[in-house]
Amino acid sequence: MITVNELQNFLENNERQILAMDNANLLKINAIDEETGVNIPGISYICYVALPVGVTPVSQYSSINGTDLLGIYDKENKKLYYKRISSLILNDKLKSVVDEIGSINFKNLYRLVVKEVDKILQKEYKSLRVQKQIENYNYKNSDFKKSFIEQRIEAFFEKGVTVYGKNKDYELKLTAYDYAKLISNKKYAKDLAMRYLFNKPEYRDVTNFEVNIEGYIYRQAKLNFNRNINLNDDDKKLMSLFKGISEANNARTIKIEYQKGNKSTEITVNIDEMRQQYDYSDGYCFSNYAITTLKAAKKFEKDFRDEEDNRFGDILLKGIKKVKYGRKVLFEEK
């Protein structure tokens, strides 16, 4: 196994291209500037070669022919930038040697580009154009209200849930060459940011710049909606119902006292099915599939189906009068 000094000498030696190890070799390849066709001064690709042949790395990802990019060495500043490699390829002993020479993870370079992307987008987010679009966002065709209620219902059942903001994920797809150029000149981060922003993703006809702007407008409009939402009586009853049910710890089923007109019944309902089967579009209801037995579900459908008010024989929210778990009352209509 190689030592720290052996690795350091290999990285510094201009004449040496291969460092032999027990079961593989390290291969040092000069980084070539694709624009000029000449070497990028002092920058080398360091590859881990499992087979006796090596290829120039074209991306940050592992190749299929036994050669993997271990990192990129900056001779002038004596720094090795490395990528995360599977432990099947980079064993613990070699990793400890790499760590000891003061290596820097590629993530630090990646963040430089993310920072440039953020800077450009943040400026546009504050523009009058974007602010006007947030202000005039059309809520009529959105599911903001449904999402608002579902998130809160989910929180009832997941005790202590903390909701964090979405992580930034720009899918920059940087290659080994991009990293080599970035190590040579940190200002290249802006060029990479612009390349990302004004390229079109495969699934869209607009650029990543517009995709991110659209996402920001949607998130801000949704946030404004949630801050100012007005819940009607059915919304409040639905959340009160689920809040009560969530307090029956580890319960799988509950009993519902149901009434319509002069008809009433008691049904046993599966809680998970009830959570998955409620619907806003048809008068706040739950599918009768939530009833625990097929026989009881068919009887309920037959007794309470109404072509005008309840075409499918669903469990209507307005028909639920009381919910019990054993003797404990979880919900009761006031």
Side-chain angles (χ1 to χ4, degrees), residues 73-86:
Y73 188 63
D74 176 3
K75 185 178 179 182
E76 181 179 349
N77 297 296
K78 300 185 184 304
K79 291 180 179 178
L80 175 65
Y81 294 84
Y82 73 99
K83 67 177 286 288
R84 181 64 60 196
I85 298 180
S86 166

Side-chain angles (χ1 to χ4, degrees), residues 137-197:
Y137 194 90
N138 183 3
Y139 300 103
K140 293 179 181 177
N141 297 321
S142 74
D143 290 326
F144 287 175
K145 182 177 176 181
K146 184 174 185 291
S147 174
F148 175 89
I149 293 177
E150 285 180 346
Q151 286 177 10
R152 275 140 191 83
I153 289 173
E154 189 66 25
F156 294 151
F157 290 88
E158 302 294 334
K159 306 298 183 184
V161 168
T162 301
V163 179
Y164 296 97
K166 185 176 184 291
N167 292 331
K168 293 185 179 73
D169 185 7
Y170 295 130
E171 297 184 7
L172 301 179
K173 297 181 180 178
L174 302 184
T175 66
Y177 173 70
D178 293 330
Y179 284 117
K181 289 276 285 183
L182 195 54
I183 292 167
S184 176
N185 181 4
K186 298 298 189 292
K187 292 182 180 178
Y188 189 63
K190 187 170 183 179
D191 292 340
L192 293 174
M194 296 296 283
R195 183 187 74 184
Y196 161 76
L197 286 169

Side-chain angles (χ1 to χ4, degrees), residues 139-313:
Y139 300 103
K140 293 179 181 177
N141 297 321
S142 74
D143 290 326
F144 287 175
K145 182 177 176 181
K146 184 174 185 291
S147 174
F148 175 89
I149 293 177
E150 285 180 346
Q151 286 177 10
R152 275 140 191 83
I153 289 173
E154 189 66 25
F156 294 151
F157 290 88
E158 302 294 334
K159 306 298 183 184
V161 168
T162 301
V163 179
Y164 296 97
K166 185 176 184 291
N167 292 331
K168 293 185 179 73
D169 185 7
Y170 295 130
E171 297 184 7
L172 301 179
K173 297 181 180 178
L174 302 184
T175 66
Y177 173 70
D178 293 330
Y179 284 117
K181 289 276 285 183
L182 195 54
I183 292 167
S184 176
N185 181 4
K186 298 298 189 292
K187 292 182 180 178
Y188 189 63
K190 187 170 183 179
D191 292 340
L192 293 174
M194 296 296 283
R195 183 187 74 184
Y196 161 76
L197 286 169
F198 294 99
N199 277 349
K200 292 182 179 180
E202 294 178 4
Y203 58 93
R204 295 293 299 270
D205 291 328
V206 294
T207 63
N208 283 314
F209 180 81
E210 287 299 332
V211 169
N212 281 283
I213 296 298
E214 288 174 7
Y216 176 78
I217 291 169
Y218 176 85
R219 290 191 301 274
Q220 292 303 307
K222 183 176 180 180
L223 184 60
N224 289 345
F225 179 89
N226 288 353
R227 284 171 178 161
N228 301 292
I229 190 169
N230 291 315
L231 299 178
N232 62 35
D233 290 342
D234 285 334
D235 299 325
K236 293 174 183 177
K237 179 175 179 178
L238 182 69
M239 287 208 285
S240 178
L241 172 70
F242 274 118
K243 188 175 188 305
I245 294 172
S246 71
E247 293 171 358
N249 294 329
N250 302 318
R252 297 180 62 186
T253 63
I254 51 173
K255 290 189 181 297
I256 293 177
E257 291 183 10
Y258 188 86
Q259 181 178 341
K260 182 187 175 185
N262 57 1
K263 289 192 220 176
S264 62
T265 188
E266 183 177 82
I267 50 176
T268 303
V269 173
N270 182 289
I271 292 175
D272 283 337
E273 285 292 328
M274 191 175 179
R275 288 171 63 185
Q276 295 175 33
Q277 300 283 353
Y278 70 90
D279 182 16
Y280 295 100
S281 63
D282 195 18
Y284 292 80
C285 63
F286 307 87
S287 169
N288 58 48
Y289 291 147
I291 298 174
T292 52
T293 67
L294 181 60
K295 181 179 179 181
K298 285 185 174 295
K299 184 177 187 308
F300 182 90
E301 180 182 359
K302 180 181 177 182
D303 291 344
F304 292 95
R305 184 173 180 178
D306 185 313
E307 288 300 326
E308 292 184 5
D309 187 43
N310 189 5
R311 292 179 297 133
F312 302 105

Side-chain angles (χ1 to χ4, degrees), residues 32-83:
I32 306 297
D33 192 315
E34 294 177 0
E35 297 174 8
T36 63
V38 299
N39 291 351
I40 301 175
I43 305 297
S44 302
Y45 298 118
I46 309 301
C47 301
Y48 183 90
V49 188
L51 299 177
V53 294
V55 295
T56 301
V58 294
S59 78
Q60 62 162 312
Y61 303 103
S62 299
S63 61
I64 59 174
N65 53 17
T67 300
D68 293 272
L69 179 67
L70 172 63
I72 299 175
Y73 188 63
D74 176 3
K75 185 178 179 182
E76 181 179 349
N77 297 296
K78 300 185 184 304
K79 291 180 179 178
L80 175 65
Y81 294 84
Y82 73 99
K83 67 177 286 288

